[in-house]
């Protein structure tokens, strides 16, 4: 690669390099430096102590400019304040196969890769914790010393009303155990980052991230840098789905290298490295105990979850709470108890994936409802319709439900699929399954609790009529840039392509917390409306003065500002900007959004609140070969309560993308591990670390999808809009399982739903055994004393009545 002479201000680059590196400038500093490449040395062991690491040979290898180890990164980082448990490079212990412990920076990627092989590491292999059940039993060695107990990262227990009394008085009590397998995001674009020094000497990171604000914080913490010396520019992502929501070690490593070398440093992860980085769906074992009355209405629910968290905290504390937080916002549950335990294991860390933490319990709850309907001789659709949450209500765990269009969603898919005529009446091997779901429209609290806005938007209007919208939100393919431009254009009466967007840059844009939790449309959208309405007010005042009409009589449309009583009297948008700038000076406005405060006042009540919730219902049609178990999905009907579709084309794309991803999780995707033979170290390794072997649906596997957008505008959303990026995924997996039961009469209570599992259940059915494949038991866990929070209808005020005693262990763990 040829070096190019800097055009313009070479002296500034020289000064910046000298300031950062502490050396006198070289003549070469007058040239634009060539990009360097970084590669990471990753552990071959799932759990080991680093006794020694020798990098001498690598440092003298051809092309090598820098070698870094854990000794160069003494400070930890993490996404949550309660789990700052990661180092950019491991200094003393590796905790899963693929954990990075050294980095090489060289002139080319090939030279960096070759130098990795020259690094010699002396490991002391430690015991591997391979499963949550093992983590419950084995306290030593601890994967992390800060865990609540042994290798149990986090245990939570919450109770709303006397659940035991409710179950004892129920007409029927159903107990079921389910397992949801973990899986990867499988975004088309792997992770990549470039770090460089700007002409002012400040560090700049260009990265494929969903959360530039939080990456900025992590870099400052890990490298001990002041925030104003660091800039993070989020690049448009080739897919994220939660997989780019954490700050990652490779981002921090290239930043350190750029600071030390004064040259741009790039890293691009391979697909295998993405699997080793992971942060995907948690594998979760669940036990539901649900009591119902004679009509099938829920009177009480007791839910226990056990999560395999992998080797690091990531979002895990929040993930644990999410496996129980949203059960109450779909159906009326008057009394509810939730207990969850996340364990550390020696696998890549799990984190947030589309539908973060709520997908797994939704799978269990919707299948159990189908079982209840079957046992009571009721139609599964009617069982759901008779006990939906009411709009503008408060749930047992103090979540505020806004508008709820779930009834219409169910009615749409029931009518479209011919459910009333076809369910239970199709030929053997063909079936229909129904499931519903709910999801957040953005988390009600930020990761770092504070009173500042969750999203901000700035507008600049100039005398040429140009409008620039500036926001920290990140475009990851979900259409957030389109939403921002569309909302501002709607308020100002101009076209979306009249607006220039600046997004995802921490140095130029006001803070937006990131593209996660389906928060961007509602939170950024409301901030954009506020900024645009303030700008419109300035324009209306100036134009009203010019035309001699009250500002309230002016309309903004078709790039004009005009009198609604005499539309011919008006000015074009550019002239309106000139009039306003003449009257008020340089034109700029700001808007921001902070969610309403949650009524929950108990510990753990910060996970689950949202300004409002979206709802979905799906009917899946399946064809099952009773001889082979082969499963085919010819069509899916799905309805989504979107509030109002700001862009129906993009909204349908999001719904159908959720269907595609849900189908993959239902039928084939799984992040599984295997042991190497003893002669090859007996290490616990990823079974399918490539896109070739990790199965995911292709376009040929996609069924016909009939989509219904149910519009019931919610006053909490911008122009009534709710989320659409994650919620439609949730009903797909349980609907597939329920359809298999309708087709061949067997229950598959775990994912993925494979032909082998269907055949096993059919064989059990033929032998007169339980016609089911799935987990048989749930281990006994030393649950802490639950926080006891009376529900609103029992006189509760959102506070725990036993806050001083809650959280204490109740008994020692017992083996299953």
């Amino acid at each position: 690669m040829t070096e190019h002479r800097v055009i313009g201000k070479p002296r500034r680059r020289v000064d910046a390099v000298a300031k950062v590196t502490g050396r006198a400038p070289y003549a070469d500093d007058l040239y634009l430096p060539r990009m360097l490449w970084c590669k990471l040395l990753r552990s071959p062991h799932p759990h080991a102590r680093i006794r020694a690491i020798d990098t001498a040979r690598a440092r003298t290898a051809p092309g090598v400019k820098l070698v870094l180890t854990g000794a160069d990164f003494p400070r930890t980082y993490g996404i949550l304040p309660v789990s700052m448990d990661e180092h950019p490079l491991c200094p003393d212990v590796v905790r899963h196969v693929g954990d990075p412990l050294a980095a090489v920076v060289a002139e080319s990627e090939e030279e960096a890769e070759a130098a990795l092989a020259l690094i010699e590491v002396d490991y002391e292999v430690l015991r591997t914790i391979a499963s949550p059940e093992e983590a419950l039993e084995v306290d030593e060695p601890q994967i992390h010393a800060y865990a609540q107990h042994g290798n149990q990262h986090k245990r939570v227990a919450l109770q709303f009303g006397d659940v035991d009394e409710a179950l004892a008085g129920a007409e029927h009590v159903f107990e079921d155990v389910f397992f949801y397998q973990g899986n990867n995001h499988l975004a088309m674009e792997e992770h990549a980052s470039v770090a460089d020094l700007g002409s002012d000497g400040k560090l700049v990171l260009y990265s494929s991230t969903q959360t530039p604000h939080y990456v900025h914080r992590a870099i400052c913490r890990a490298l001990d840098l002041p925030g104003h010396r660091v800039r993070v520019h989020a690049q448009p992502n080739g897919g994220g789905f939660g997989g780019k929501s954490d700050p990652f070690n490779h981002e921090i490593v290239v930043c350190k290298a750029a600071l030390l070398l004064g040259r741009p440093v790039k890293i691009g992860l391979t697909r295998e490295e993405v699997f080793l980085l992971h942060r995907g769906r948690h594998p979760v074992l669940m036990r539901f105990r649900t009591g119902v009355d004679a009509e099938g209405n829920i009177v009480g629910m007791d839910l226990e979850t056990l999560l395999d968290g992998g080797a690091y905290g990531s979002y895990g504390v929040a993930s644990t709470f999410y496996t129980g937080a949203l059960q109450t916002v779909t159906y009326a549950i008057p009394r509810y108890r939730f207990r969850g335990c996340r364990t550390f294991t020696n696998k890549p860390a799990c984190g947030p994936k589309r539908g973060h933490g709520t997908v797994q319990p939704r799978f269990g709850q919707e299948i159990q409802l189908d079982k209840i309907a079957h046992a009571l001789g009721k139609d599964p659709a009617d069982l759901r319709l008779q006990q939906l949450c009411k709009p503008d209500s408060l749930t047992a765990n103090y979540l505020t439900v806004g508008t709820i269009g779930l009834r219409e969603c169910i009615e749409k898919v029931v009518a479209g699929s011919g459910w009333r005529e076809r369910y239970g009446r199709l030929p053997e091997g063909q079936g229909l399954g129904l499931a519903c779901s709910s999801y957040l429209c953005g988390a009600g609290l930020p990761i770092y609790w504070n009173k500042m806005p969750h999203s901000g938007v700035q507008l600049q209007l100039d005398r040429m009529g140009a409008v620039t919208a500036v926001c920290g939100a990140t475009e990851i393919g979900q259409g957030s840039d389109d939403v921002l431009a569309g909302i501002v254009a709607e308020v100002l009466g101009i076209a979306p392509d009249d607006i220039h967007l600046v997004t995802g840059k921490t140095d130029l844009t006001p803070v937006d917390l990131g593209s996660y939790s389906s928060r961007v449309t509602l939170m950024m959208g409301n901030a954009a409306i506020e900024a645009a309405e303030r700008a419109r007010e300035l324009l209306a005042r100036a134009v009203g003065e010019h035309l001699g009409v009250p500002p309230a009589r002016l309309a903004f449309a078709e790039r004009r500002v005009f009198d609604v009583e005499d539309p011919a009297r008006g000015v074009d948008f550019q002239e309106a900007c000139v009039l306003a700038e003449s009257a008020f000076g340089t034109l700029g406005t700001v808007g921001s959004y902070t969610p309403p405060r949650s009524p929950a006042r108990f510990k753990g009540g910060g996970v689950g609140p949202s300004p409002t919730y979206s709802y979905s219902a799906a009917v899946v049609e399946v064809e099952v070969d009773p001889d082979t178990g082969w499963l085919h999905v010819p069509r899916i009907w799905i309805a989504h309560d979107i509030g109002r579709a700001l862009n129906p084309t993009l909204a349908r794309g999001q719904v159908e993308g959720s269907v595609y991803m849900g189908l993959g999780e239902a039928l084939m995707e799984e992040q599984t591990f295997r042991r190497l033979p003893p002669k090859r170290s007996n290490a616990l390794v990823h079974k399918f670390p490539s896109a070739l072997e990790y199965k995911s649906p292709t376009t040929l596997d996609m069924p016909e999808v009939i989509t219904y957008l149910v519009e019931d505008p919610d006053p909490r959303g911008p122009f009534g809009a709710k989320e659409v990026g994650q919620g439609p995924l949730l009903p797909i997996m349980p609907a597939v399982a329920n359809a298999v039961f309708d087709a061949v009469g067997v229950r598959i209570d775990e994912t993925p739903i494979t032909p082998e599992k269907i055949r096993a259940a059919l064989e059990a059915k033929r032998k007169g055994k339980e016609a089911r494949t799935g987990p048989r038991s749930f281990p006994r866990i030393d649950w802490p004393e639950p926080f006891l929070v009376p529900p609103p209808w029992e006189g509760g005020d959102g506070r725990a009545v036993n806050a001083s005693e809650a959280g204490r262990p109740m008994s020692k763990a017992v083996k299953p």
Side-chain angles (χ1 to χ4, degrees):
M1 186 181 296
T2 304
E3 292 185 348
H4 301 282
R5 187 176 297 275
V6 173
I7 306 297
K9 299 181 179 178
R11 188 72 236 169
R12 294 188 66 186
R13 174 91 197 183
V14 172
D15 293 341
V17 170
K19 183 176 181 180
V20 173
T21 62
R23 61 168 170 78
Y26 300 150
D28 285 349
D29 290 328
L30 292 175
Y31 296 85
L32 185 67
R34 286 170 50 180
M35 181 87 72
L36 297 173
W37 282 85
C38 178
K39 296 294 288 185
L40 300 178
L41 179 68
R42 298 182 180 274
S43 169
H45 302 288
H47 200 193
R49 184 169 288 108
I50 303 170
R51 287 193 289 219
I53 181 166
D54 185 354
T55 62
R57 293 171 61 209
R59 293 179 188 276
T60 59
V64 170
K65 298 298 181 183
L66 181 68
V67 177
L68 297 169
T69 67
D72 298 299
F73 297 94
R75 294 172 63 89
T76 60
Y77 72 97
I79 185 63
L80 299 184
V82 295
S83 51
M84 295 284 180
D85 57 3
E86 298 187 61
H87 286 86
L89 297 173
C90 300
D92 49 9
V93 175
V94 290
R95 294 176 170 87
H96 66 88
V97 170
D99 224 357
L101 61 152
V104 172
V105 180
E107 293 285 358
S108 71
E109 190 174 17
E110 294 76 13
E111 288 172 323
E113 185 77 47
L116 289 181
L118 303 177
I119 299 175
E120 298 177 4
V121 184
D122 180 15
Y123 294 100
E124 176 191 348
V125 176
L126 303 174
R127 174 171 177 169
T128 299
I129 308 299
S131 69
E133 291 80 4
E134 189 175 358
L136 292 176
E137 298 301 316
V138 178
D139 293 342
E140 296 291 341
Q142 274 189 292
I143 296 175
H144 289 287
Y146 77 91
Q148 278 190 334
H149 177 78
N151 286 300
Q152 299 171 49
H153 175 200
K154 182 68 176 179
R155 294 175 297 188
V156 301
L158 301 168
Q159 181 167 317
F160 307 91
D162 193 334
V163 176
D164 292 329
E165 180 183 75
L167 295 178
E171 188 73 21
H172 307 278
V173 176
F174 294 82
E175 181 170 333
D176 293 283
V177 183
F178 303 94
F179 176 67
Y180 200 97
Q181 181 59 274
N183 45 67
N184 192 262
H185 313 86
L186 209 68
M188 292 182 68
E189 174 206 45
E190 295 100 336
H191 300 250
S193 300
V194 175
D196 194 11
L197 298 182
S199 60
D200 56 0
K202 294 180 180 179
L203 177 67
V204 186
L205 176 71
Y206 306 89
S207 193
S208 53
T209 177
Q210 297 176 231
T211 54
H213 171 66
Y214 290 126
V215 171
H216 181 269
R217 293 186 68 120
I219 292 169
C220 294
R221 175 185 167 88
L223 301 183
D224 196 20
L225 294 172
H228 66 275
R229 301 294 302 175
V230 178
R231 304 197 290 262
V232 176
H233 289 193
Q235 303 304 294
N237 287 194
F241 315 115
K244 296 168 184 174
S245 297
D246 279 76
F248 289 112
N249 43 47
H250 64 272
E251 294 171 315
I252 299 170
V253 168
V254 294
C255 285
K256 178 80 169 183
L259 286 170
L260 292 174
L261 297 171
R263 290 176 63 174
V265 180
K266 177 179 181 178
I267 188 167
L269 301 192
T270 65
R271 179 62 65 183
E272 181 175 358
E273 287 180 302
V274 173
F275 278 107
L276 297 175
L277 196 66
H278 195 41
R279 313 305 160 109
R281 184 91 69 214
H282 283 74
V284 180
L285 182 68
M286 300 158 277
R287 177 165 61 189
F288 281 81
R289 293 178 64 230
T290 302
V292 299
D293 62 20
E295 297 302 313
N297 297 306
I298 298 171
V299 298
M301 178 182 287
D302 185 11
L303 169 61
E304 296 172 275
T305 65
L306 177 63
L307 295 76
D308 185 342
Y312 292 100
S314 183
Y315 284 82
V317 172
S319 306
T320 306
F321 280 106
Y322 273 130
T323 59
L326 298 192
Q327 304 314 110
T328 59
V329 299
T330 313
Y331 311 108
I333 302 177
R335 292 182 178 178
Y336 178 56
R337 179 166 58 217
F338 163 62
R339 290 168 290 184
C341 175
R342 184 181 192 262
T343 60
F344 284 126
T345 59
N346 293 119
K347 303 173 186 175
C350 297
K353 185 186 176 186
R354 202 173 195 169
H356 183 195
T358 69
V359 169
Q360 301 93 324
R362 179 58 53 189
F363 177 77
Q365 185 177 14
E366 292 297 316
I367 295 176
Q368 188 180 62
L369 280 172
D370 202 70
K371 293 181 180 184
I372 293 171
H374 186 260
L376 301 183
K378 297 184 72 72
D379 185 299
D382 292 335
L383 182 71
R384 289 168 170 82
L385 286 168
Q386 73 189 31
Q387 53 190 317
L388 300 178
C389 277
K390 291 181 170 54
D392 301 310
S393 62
L394 204 58
T395 68
N397 57 339
Y398 289 85
L399 302 180
T400 303
V401 176
T403 60
I404 172 169
L406 184 53
R407 178 173 300 277
E408 187 175 351
C409 287
I410 295 173
E411 291 170 349
K412 287 281 189 183
V413 297
V414 163
S417 64
W419 174 273
R420 302 291 185 191
E421 300 76 32
R422 302 172 67 214
Y423 174 71
R425 299 178 178 86
L426 293 174
E428 177 72 12
Q430 299 178 37
L432 297 175
L434 170 69
C436 302
S437 67
S438 54
Y439 197 62
L440 308 162
C441 293
L445 287 171
I447 290 173
Y448 293 82
W449 286 17
N450 58 66
K451 296 180 180 180
M452 291 183 285
H454 291 209
S455 186
V457 171
Q458 294 176 339
L459 295 183
Q460 175 184 306
L461 292 76
D462 69 25
R463 61 191 66 177
M464 301 303 293
V467 178
T468 300
V470 184
C471 180
T474 306
E475 175 61 67
I476 61 171
Q478 85 283 36
S480 61
D481 281 359
D482 180 87
V483 168
L484 176 58
I487 286 176
V488 173
E490 178 70 19
V491 175
L492 296 181
I494 57 179
D497 60 4
D498 292 341
I499 298 169
H500 174 64
L501 301 178
V502 179
T503 59
K505 297 175 173 60
T506 60
D507 55 332
L508 298 176
T509 62
V511 167
D512 179 274
L513 297 182
S515 294
Y516 64 93
S517 293
S518 278
R519 54 175 300 284
V520 175
T521 290
L522 189 139
M523 298 193 183
M524 178 197 72
N526 279 324
I529 286 177
E530 184 174 79
E533 287 180 341
R534 288 172 174 172
R536 186 175 64 182
E537 181 183 353
L538 293 176
L539 296 173
R541 286 168 57 191
V543 174
E545 179 71 22
H546 175 71
L547 298 178
V549 300
R553 256 175 50 191
L554 294 175
F556 288 68
E558 298 180 347
R559 298 188 177 96
R560 294 183 68 242
V561 183
F562 55 88
D563 184 354
V564 295
E565 295 184 1
D566 184 5
R569 294 191 66 220
V571 299
D572 64 26
F573 187 78
Q574 180 183 353
E575 186 177 352
C577 291
V578 169
L579 292 170
E581 186 172 343
S582 300
F584 307 115
T586 300
L587 295 177
T589 60
V590 298
S592 59
Y593 177 78
T594 303
R597 186 182 181 190
S598 166
R601 300 289 183 268
F602 54 90
K603 187 175 182 180
V607 177
S610 179
T612 190
Y613 299 89
S614 71
Y615 295 88
S616 304
V619 169
V620 173
E621 182 173 347
V622 302
E623 298 169 354
V624 181
D625 186 325
D627 295 322
T628 65
W630 189 258
L631 173 61
H632 174 60
V633 180
R635 61 192 56 83
I636 293 175
W637 295 263
I638 184 161
H640 182 66
D641 167 25
I642 194 172
R644 174 174 286 168
L646 300 182
N647 184 321
T649 300
L650 285 180
R652 288 177 183 274
Q654 287 291 297
V655 172
E656 291 167 14
S658 287
V659 169
Y660 164 81
M661 184 170 282
L663 203 60
E665 295 193 23
L667 301 180
M668 59 190 75
E669 294 191 41
E670 51 184 333
Q671 174 115 334
T672 55
F673 295 79
R674 63 186 176 91
R675 288 280 192 180
L676 292 177
K679 64 180 181 180
R680 295 190 61 197
S681 81
N682 201 38
L684 186 71
V685 298
H686 198 297
K687 193 174 182 180
F688 303 123
S690 77
L692 177 64
E693 297 163 298
Y694 180 94
K695 301 306 180 186
S696 181
T698 68
T699 54
L700 297 178
D701 299 307
M702 268 299 280
E704 178 186 3
V705 180
I706 299 92
T707 302
Y708 307 96
L709 297 179
V710 173
E711 294 191 279
D712 178 16
D714 192 306
R716 301 157 190 82
F719 301 118
K722 296 185 185 181
E723 75 87 29
V724 68
Q726 302 189 55
L729 176 143
L730 278 78
I732 302 302
M733 296 74 73
V736 170
N738 293 338
V740 169
F741 177 77
D742 186 44
V744 291
V746 300
R747 292 288 181 186
I748 311 300
D749 288 344
E750 65 181 37
T751 64
I753 302 167
T754 61
E756 295 86 351
K757 294 174 183 177
I758 295 174
R759 281 196 64 190
L762 286 168
E763 184 63 25
K765 181 182 178 182
R766 282 191 284 267
K767 292 179 179 179
K769 299 179 180 179
E770 184 182 18
R772 173 185 180 273
T773 298
R776 297 291 175 182
S777 63
F778 189 92
R780 293 284 299 277
I781 296 175
D782 183 19
W783 295 119
E785 181 73 28
F787 285 92
L788 302 177
V789 185
W793 42 85
E794 294 182 11
D797 61 358
R799 294 178 170 83
V801 296
N802 64 333
S804 60
E805 294 84 16
R808 298 176 182 174
M810 297 178 67
S811 63
K812 292 187 177 180
V814 180
K815 292 184 179 181

